[in-house]
């Protein structure tokens, strides 16, 4: 198995279980490793019901006092259990998991975890998770990953699959950054970052792993932009323009004087539009620094050369504002 292997090579993922993974873009082992958690959850010590705030998620140590029969209501199969937590009682309800009813024997004890609702001294939980005391003890204070999910894809499926890849020892994400660069920027190795972002020992470890992944994303983005720029710089300008007097007249008629920086950038734009290579330019500046007037001048130059131009903005309101201001100019 390698990074490009299909996820169907993993135990538990076959033709029937792979479609939910495909829905979120997971087709290969590499896709799975790069399917990072959206956040994390920390399993904390069980609490007494006197400590809870209604509507929040908690873990409680409960003894099963009684279990109802499974009842069917339309498409739902429902059963409930009465749980003794210290001196208090919780009514827990489960939907469409009838097999669990056989698990909860009278007198058995588990850690139940879920949202607890309290009203007039009555406590309720719906669809709580349940753990043996030993299993929950292993989860205490460990950061549990939470992934973006879709219909048919559960947290358990993703976690189990990622564990298979990371713990299996058959796959390794190669390092591409030089050692001195990693030291300079205090970066984890690629493989350590991938492992730790899925299953971090603590928040500090998670943040260090995330730092490496973010660094990679920005580095590859910048390299991609640079490559694109280099390619575009070689494209021949098939529609070179000529300078027009209309732009100079507008500059003179403006109710303000363009700054030296604005005039310098405008001359660079004119040079690009009249040059032999296709223009690829980003004008960057603070709000109010005069980027829009440069765009308007470029539009006028294109129009006066017999070509078309478009000024695109993110909202209709801003489009109308620009239209009005350009008309006034």
């Amino acid at each position: 198995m390698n990074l490009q292997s299909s996820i169907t090579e993993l135990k538990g993922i076959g033709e029937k279980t792979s479609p939910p993974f495909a829905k979120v873009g997971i087709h290969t082992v590499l896709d799975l490793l790069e399917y990072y958690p959206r956040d994390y959850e920390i399993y904390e010590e069980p609490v007494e019901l006197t400590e809870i705030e209604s509507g929040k998620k908690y873990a409680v140590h409960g003894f099963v006092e009684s279990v109802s029969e499974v009842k069917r209501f339309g498409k739902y199969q429902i059963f409930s259990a009465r749980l003794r937590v210290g001196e208090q009682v919780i009514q827990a309800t489960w939907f469409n998991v009838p097999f669990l009813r056989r698990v909860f024997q009278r007198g058995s004890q588990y850690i139940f975890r879920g949202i607890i609702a309290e009203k007039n001294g009555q406590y309720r939980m719906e669809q709580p998770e349940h753990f043996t005391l030993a299993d929950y003890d292993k989860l205490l204070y460990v950061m549990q990953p939470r992934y973006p999910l879709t219909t048919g894809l559960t947290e358990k499926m993703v976690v189990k699959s990622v564990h298979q890849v990371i713990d299996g020892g058959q796959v390794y994400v190669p390092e591409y950054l030089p050692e001195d660069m990693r030291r300079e920027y205090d970066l984890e190795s690629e493989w350590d970052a991938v492992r730790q972002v899925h299953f971090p020992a603590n928040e500090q470890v998670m943040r260090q792993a995330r730092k490496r992944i973010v660094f990679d994303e920005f580095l590859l983005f910048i390299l991609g932009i640079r490559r694109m720029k280099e390619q575009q710089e070689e494209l021949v300008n098939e529609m070179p323009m000529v300078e027009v007097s209309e732009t100079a007249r507008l500059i003179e008629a403006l109710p303000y004087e363009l700054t030296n920086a604005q005039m310098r950038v405008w001359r660079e734009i004119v040079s690009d539009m009249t040059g032999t290579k296709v223009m690829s330019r980003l004008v960057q500046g603070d709000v109010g620094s005069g980027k829009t007037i440069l765009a308007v001048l470029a539009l006028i130059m294109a129009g006066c050369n017999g070509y078309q131009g478009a000024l695109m903005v993110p909202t209709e309101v801003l489009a109308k504002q620009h239209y009005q201001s350009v008309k006034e100019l």
Side-chain angles (χ1 to χ4, degrees):
M1 185 169 62
N2 57 53
L3 293 175
Q4 299 308 320
S5 297
S6 170
I7 58 168
T8 56
E9 292 189 25
L10 296 174
K11 186 179 178 181
I13 303 181
E15 290 185 5
K16 292 184 179 179
T17 51
S18 61
F21 284 93
K23 282 184 185 177
V24 294
I26 301 176
H27 304 279
T28 67
V29 170
L30 181 60
D31 294 334
L32 180 65
L33 289 177
E34 292 183 343
Y35 196 64
Y36 303 126
R38 58 179 170 78
D39 57 26
Y40 301 86
E41 199 166 5
I42 298 178
Y43 284 41
E44 298 180 335
E45 292 277 1
V47 300
E48 297 295 329
L49 292 180
T50 53
E51 304 172 28
I52 71 114
E53 184 178 334
S54 183
K56 292 190 175 181
K57 186 177 284 189
Y58 297 94
V60 294
H61 182 184
F63 290 82
V64 179
E65 288 195 340
S66 62
V67 185
S68 74
E69 294 298 323
V70 176
K71 299 178 181 178
R72 183 180 289 277
F73 295 92
K75 61 181 180 180
Y76 296 105
Q77 296 182 71
I78 303 173
F79 78 93
S80 60
R82 179 183 167 94
L83 311 176
R84 172 67 61 178
V85 180
E87 300 298 319
Q88 307 290 333
V89 170
I90 290 182
Q91 191 75 14
T93 305
W94 286 268
F95 301 88
N96 292 337
V97 282
F99 59 89
L100 278 184
R101 194 246 176 252
R102 297 189 297 273
V103 172
F104 301 131
Q105 300 297 318
R106 186 177 179 182
S108 59
Q109 56 178 318
Y110 294 93
I111 302 298
F112 295 92
R113 187 171 183 274
I115 294 174
I116 301 178
E118 184 272 331
K119 187 175 182 180
N120 300 325
Q122 303 294 315
Y123 298 93
R124 294 184 177 277
M125 297 178 84
E126 290 187 355
Q127 213 79 355
E129 301 172 275
H130 69 284
F131 308 86
T132 66
L133 274 60
D135 285 344
Y136 194 80
D137 192 54
K138 296 175 185 177
L139 295 174
L140 270 178
Y141 306 117
V142 176
M143 295 181 72
Q144 301 297 318
R146 290 291 175 260
Y147 297 91
L149 301 174
T150 188
T151 304
L153 186 65
T154 65
E155 208 85 61
K156 189 174 181 180
M157 290 167 66
V158 180
V159 169
K160 183 179 177 181
S161 302
V162 175
H163 262 305
Q164 269 194 74
V165 176
I166 289 178
D167 301 339
Q170 300 180 46
V171 174
Y172 175 77
V173 178
E175 181 59 69
Y176 71 93
L177 286 181
E179 180 85 22
D180 56 346
M181 181 179 285
R182 288 201 291 116
R183 282 199 302 268
E184 179 181 355
Y185 293 101
D186 186 28
L187 299 172
E188 296 283 347
S189 72
E190 184 83 357
W191 181 230
D192 284 344
V194 169
R195 290 189 300 109
Q196 292 166 0
V197 81
H198 284 286
F199 306 115
N202 52 55
E203 187 170 352
Q204 182 179 354
V205 169
M206 181 273 290
R207 291 190 179 280
Q208 191 68 16
R210 183 179 178 275
K211 177 182 176 182
R212 170 60 199 267
I213 291 169
V214 171
F215 182 93
D216 286 350
E217 289 179 354
F218 274 103
L219 177 61
L220 295 175
F221 174 75
I222 291 168
L223 291 175
I225 292 293
R226 179 173 293 182
R227 184 179 180 188
M228 189 190 311
K229 182 181 178 184
E230 289 172 352
Q231 290 173 341
Q232 287 186 326
E233 283 176 346
E234 298 306 313
L235 294 177
V236 176
N237 182 5
E238 301 286 354
M239 292 169 281
M241 303 181 192
V242 296
E243 289 193 64
V244 295
S245 59
E246 285 82 358
T247 54
R249 286 208 301 271
L250 175 58
I251 291 172
E252 291 177 3
L254 288 173
Y256 52 86
E257 188 173 342
L258 293 185
T259 65
N260 290 334
Q262 286 173 313
M263 286 302 300
R264 174 176 53 78
V265 173
W266 170 238
R267 284 192 292 270
E268 291 176 2
I269 291 173
V270 171
S271 176
D272 283 346
M273 295 174 75
T274 59
T276 58
K277 301 295 183 183
V278 170
M279 176 169 71
S280 177
R281 179 170 293 277
L282 170 69
V283 179
Q284 182 175 326
D286 293 333
V287 174
S289 62
K291 301 182 295 296
T292 303
I293 188 61
L294 296 179
V296 171
L297 288 167
L299 285 171
I300 290 173
M301 182 168 167
C304 291
N305 272 271
Y307 299 116
Q308 291 181 322
L311 177 65
M312 297 195 298
V313 293
T315 66
E316 183 179 351
V317 171
L318 190 55
K320 289 179 177 178
Q321 289 176 350
H322 278 325
Y323 176 68
Q324 290 298 329
S325 62
V326 172
K327 267 211 317 181
E328 292 171 8
L329 285 177

